[in-house]
């Protein structure tokens, strides 16, 4: 979680800043996941990687694509299971959505004390922000269950 803390209010120059292109939240979430996993999935289109701003997958920067990758990944790299608020731990991902099913934000879990979940995020930069301070209609919790490196 050190990576999340270091980069919560600034941008890592190794990655393009997507703030002006729809938001940087999922890019930041992917960076945090990668900082812990240290393994990307190089599969074209359906993988999860960032080599440069023009050589990356949609799952690195897009909210629904990250979800689809993490819950569906059977290959190399991180994978996740959908859980509830009680099942999230530091390093997991929360995704916020509208009533119509459109998910638009991917904060990273920093802490879960059983009463409140605290997150870090880009686009609307935050560190240790209570999840309850966000306005949203739907929420889904992704527990990073492991990483395959074969």
């Amino acid at each position: 979680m050190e990576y999340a803390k270091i980069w919560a209010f600034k941008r890592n120059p190794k990655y393009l800043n997507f703030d002006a292109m729809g938001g940087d939240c999922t890019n930041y979430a992917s960076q945090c996941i990668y900082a812990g996993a240290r393994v990307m999935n190089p599969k074209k289109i359906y993988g999860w990687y960032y080599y440069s701003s023009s050589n990356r997958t949609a799952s690195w920067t897009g909210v629904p694509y990250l979800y689809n990758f993490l819950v569906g990944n059977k290959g190399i790299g991180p994978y996740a299971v959908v859980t509830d608020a009680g099942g999230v731990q530091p390093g997991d991902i929360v995704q916020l959505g509208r009533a119509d099913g459109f998910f638009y934000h991917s904060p990273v879990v920093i802490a879960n004390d059983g009463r409140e979940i605290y997150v870090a995020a880009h686009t609307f930069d935050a560190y240790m922000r209570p999840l309850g301070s966000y306005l949203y209609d739907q929420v889904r919790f992704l527990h990073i269950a492991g990483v395959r490196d074969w």
Side-chain angles (χ1 to χ4, degrees), residues 121-150:
H122 273 187
T123 305
F124 302 104
D125 295 2
Y127 185 78
M128 288 298 288
R129 179 176 173 175
L131 183 60
S133 70
Y134 284 91
L135 298 176
Y136 55 87
D137 296 315
Q138 294 187 58
V139 61
R140 58 188 179 198
F141 301 97
L142 301 174
H143 170 64
I144 306 297
V147 179
R148 297 182 194 91
D149 60 1
W150 39 264

Side-chain angles (χ1 to χ4, degrees), residues 70-138:
L70 288 173
V71 300
N73 183 25
K74 303 295 185 216
I76 191 170
Y79 56 95
V81 295
V82 176
T83 188
D84 59 18
V88 292
Q89 302 169 6
D92 290 343
I93 305 298
V94 177
Q95 292 192 323
L96 307 180
R98 300 187 315 221
D100 66 3
F102 176 78
F103 283 82
Y104 57 83
H105 196 42
S106 297
V108 177
V109 175
I110 300 300
N112 183 355
D113 66 10
R115 294 182 311 278
E116 184 66 74
I117 295 169
Y118 298 90
V119 298
H122 273 187
T123 305
F124 302 104
D125 295 2
Y127 185 78
M128 288 298 288
R129 179 176 173 175
L131 183 60
S133 70
Y134 284 91
L135 298 176
Y136 55 87
D137 296 315
Q138 294 187 58

